[in-house]
Amino acid sequence: METEQKYALIGAGPSGLAGARALSRHGIDFVGFESHSTVGGLWDITNPVSTVYESAHLISSKTTTEFAEFPMPPQTPDYPGHAVLARYFRDYADVFGLCEHYRFDTTVTRVEPDGDRWRVTATDRDGAATTELYRGVVVANGTLATPNHPQIPGGFDGEILHTSAYKDPTIFRGKRVLIVGAGNSGCDIAVDAVHHARSVDLSVRRGYHFVPKYLFGRPADTLTRGRPLPAPIKQRLDALLLRQFTGDPTRFGLPAPDHRLYESHPVVNSLILHHLGHGDVQVRPDIERYDGAEVRFRDGSAAGYDMIVHATGYVLDYPFLDRDLLDWRGHAPDLLLNMISRRFANLFVLGMVESSGLGWQGRYEQAELVAAAIGLADTDPAAAARWRAALAASPPDLTGGYRYLKLGRMAYYVNKDAYRAALRDQTRAVREAAGSSTAAGVR
């Protein structure tokens, strides 16, 4: 079977395209699978499984997010929206000839081991299923697809939707709206809603640090690029700087954060503070229960609403792979560097990583390591096994010195500088091992 000599790559979003670029650049044969008709993943709002909304823009600037080998055009805004990004990914795929490797409108439904190969079952647009063997699998289907629905007692008589189903703010027209959760999506949607809704309340369980998109007239994440500061120093300096620009968010009724800056993903949105300050949005505490047309809060207060939006994030989901094959531990699989299977030398996951400022270049560096590891396994399986064992025995610290909150959504969170340094170190180690094998005459 021809595909037995190829890898299967699942997904054509940013991580999938990074994988396709690295595999093709290093001459590794593969077949890509994408359920949509084109590339871009969630950033193509026409994709039926896209979770972006009309007002969605990057929360990191283009210069810290773009692929290094493919900068966005100079006229691109600092924080481009989904339409610009969808075009960017199509252009990236066209320039490097990535689409020719993909089967579009094809959904992977099952991946399971078969000896030293992997059996991949996929269904095309007409519902026809095919099963083929591949010599390995690279999973890159994204992390923002399966909504996390909170378990709240009682029942609500109005409409409830998750942010994954939200597209257009006109749905809020004339309604009393409660948004549950004050992360980046929740704050974005609250800012959208104030221009249409009768009222907007924001139910907040815990405190957040708020970072403006611009500082001193420049994108905030471009000010400290270069050699990273030690975590305690950066936290102290940046916290002082933020106080000058955003002040103390508790004055708007928001809870005080129970963590230091960068120990959880900050909210990159100062417009929400603007609207809180103008009374357009009211802060509510955590919810106790739904009670018909009303919501009862933990401070004993209650209010009536027409619509509730659950801005409660997403859960990791790889529905085509049995959980034990990825060694799940709690809220996330237990993978080396968040990407390399501990059990299977030919199973990898791209994009299962969350970090402030990692960007798509960080995903590309993941893909480079995957390609290097596959190359080493092809030329010297014993050397590849030794490398994997050494990595498992002494995994690098990916925290960068930060004490991240012990939350489910933080289970695969890393510090961007520490993580990218580890990826580069391991890629170098693999290539050195491959060079030693070649010098010794191993083929």
Side-chain angles (χ1 to χ4, degrees):
M1 190 179 295
E2 181 183 355
T3 56
E4 285 190 50
Q5 303 308 314
K6 298 181 178 182
Y7 264 74
L9 171 65
I10 303 171
S15 294
L17 291 177
R21 171 62 176 148
L23 293 176
S24 61
R25 192 165 80 89
H26 291 281
I28 299 169
D29 287 338
F30 70 98
V31 174
F33 296 88
E34 169 55 46
S35 62
H36 189 37
S37 57
T38 188
V39 302
L42 66 84
W43 287 107
D44 182 351
I45 201 169
T46 67
N47 187 336
V49 298
S50 172
T51 56
V52 301
Y53 34 90
E54 288 292 350
S55 62
H57 290 71
L58 286 179
I59 60 172
S60 56
S61 68
K62 64 180 181 181
T63 53
T64 61
T65 308
E66 63 196 4
F67 291 117
E69 66 174 351
F70 196 72
M72 295 186 191
Q75 67 272 21
T76 305
D78 292 331
Y79 296 96
H82 62 82
V84 173
L85 297 174
R87 184 168 60 250
Y88 172 77
F89 291 122
R90 290 194 295 270
D91 291 344
Y92 182 77
D94 288 344
V95 165
F96 296 113
L98 304 181
C99 288
E100 64 190 56
H101 297 280
Y102 275 92
R103 298 178 185 174
F104 292 103
D105 295 306
T106 304
T107 302
V108 172
T109 58
R110 185 73 175 165
V111 174
E112 50 196 339
D114 188 335
D116 63 351
R117 295 291 193 262
W118 288 86
R119 194 161 59 249
V120 177
T121 300
T123 303
D124 66 18
R125 73 178 76 181
D126 298 320
T130 58
T131 299
E132 297 170 298
L133 286 177
Y134 291 85
R135 71 186 186 105
V137 176
V138 180
V139 177
N141 64 312
T143 61
L144 302 176
T146 302
N148 175 37
H149 291 286
Q151 300 301 309
I152 298 174
F156 178 62
D157 291 343
E159 182 181 358
I160 296 179
L161 75 155
H162 188 271
T163 53
S164 59
Y166 167 71
K167 298 296 178 187
D168 188 325
T170 58
I171 65 170
F172 300 129
R173 186 168 293 138
K175 296 179 180 177
R176 299 166 298 168
V177 178
L178 174 66
I179 298 172
V180 182
N184 281 287
S185 293
C187 289
D188 279 355
I189 294 171
V191 170
D192 281 355
V194 298
H195 302 291
H196 300 272
R198 175 178 163 189
S199 64
V200 180
D201 287 359
L202 190 63
S203 173
V204 184
R205 175 181 295 182
R206 65 188 321 129
Y208 293 84
H209 293 278
F210 291 82
V211 177
K213 285 193 169 181
Y214 286 93
L215 290 171
F216 305 111
R218 293 172 52 191
D221 61 0
T222 67
L223 294 179
T224 57
R225 299 183 74 185
R227 188 177 181 88
L229 293 171
I233 296 176
K234 181 172 177 58
Q235 287 175 307
R236 191 175 304 115
L237 290 179
D238 286 6
L240 290 172
L241 185 63
L242 288 181
R243 283 279 178 159
Q244 301 302 312
F245 281 85
T246 62
D248 182 1
T250 62
R251 72 186 188 277
F252 300 120
L254 292 163
D258 59 356
H259 58 281
R260 299 182 67 189
L261 184 61
Y262 304 128
E263 292 177 348
S264 180
H265 204 83
V267 176
V268 187
N269 186 327
S270 52
L271 285 176
I272 186 63
L273 302 182
H274 169 90
H275 287 293
L276 286 167
H278 285 73
D280 301 328
V281 180
Q282 301 295 324
V283 176
R284 292 284 190 170
D286 196 14
I287 295 171
E288 181 179 273
R289 64 181 290 107
Y290 293 149
D291 190 6
E294 287 192 330
V295 175
R296 301 196 177 278
F297 299 97
R298 293 196 180 277
D299 66 350
S301 64
Y305 299 97
D306 305 301
M307 178 180 286
I308 295 173
V309 180
H310 287 163
T312 46
Y314 298 83
V315 293
L316 283 179
D317 191 16
Y318 303 103
F320 42 79
L321 267 168
D322 287 345
R323 291 173 69 90
D324 66 318
L325 296 176
L326 283 177
D327 296 318
W328 280 75
R329 299 289 185 271
H331 296 276
D334 180 24
L335 304 174
L336 299 170
L337 293 177
N338 287 19
M339 57 179 287
I340 300 167
S341 170
R342 294 177 180 272
R343 298 170 52 198
F344 301 100
N346 54 358
L347 176 62
F348 305 90
V349 177
L350 294 178
M352 196 201 84
V353 60
E354 185 66 41
S355 176
S356 178
L358 184 64
W360 299 317
Q361 184 60 23
R363 275 72 174 177
Y364 182 80
E365 288 167 3
Q366 281 190 316
E368 280 287 289
L369 177 54
V370 167
I374 293 171
L376 180 60
D378 287 346
T379 58
D380 189 348
R386 288 193 297 272
W387 165 72
R388 292 165 58 83
L391 179 59
S394 184
D397 178 12
L398 305 178
T399 68
Y402 294 92
R403 298 179 180 178
Y404 295 123
L405 292 179
K406 302 299 183 183
L407 301 175
R409 62 182 172 82
M410 302 291 292
Y412 47 101
Y413 205 90
V414 300
N415 171 260
K416 66 178 177 64
D417 298 309
Y419 190 70
R420 292 182 65 181
L423 292 176
R424 291 190 292 266
D425 288 346
Q426 292 303 318
T427 302
R428 185 164 47 249
V430 170
R431 289 174 177 164
E432 288 173 355
S436 298
S437 297
T438 302
V442 177
R443 295 292 185 269

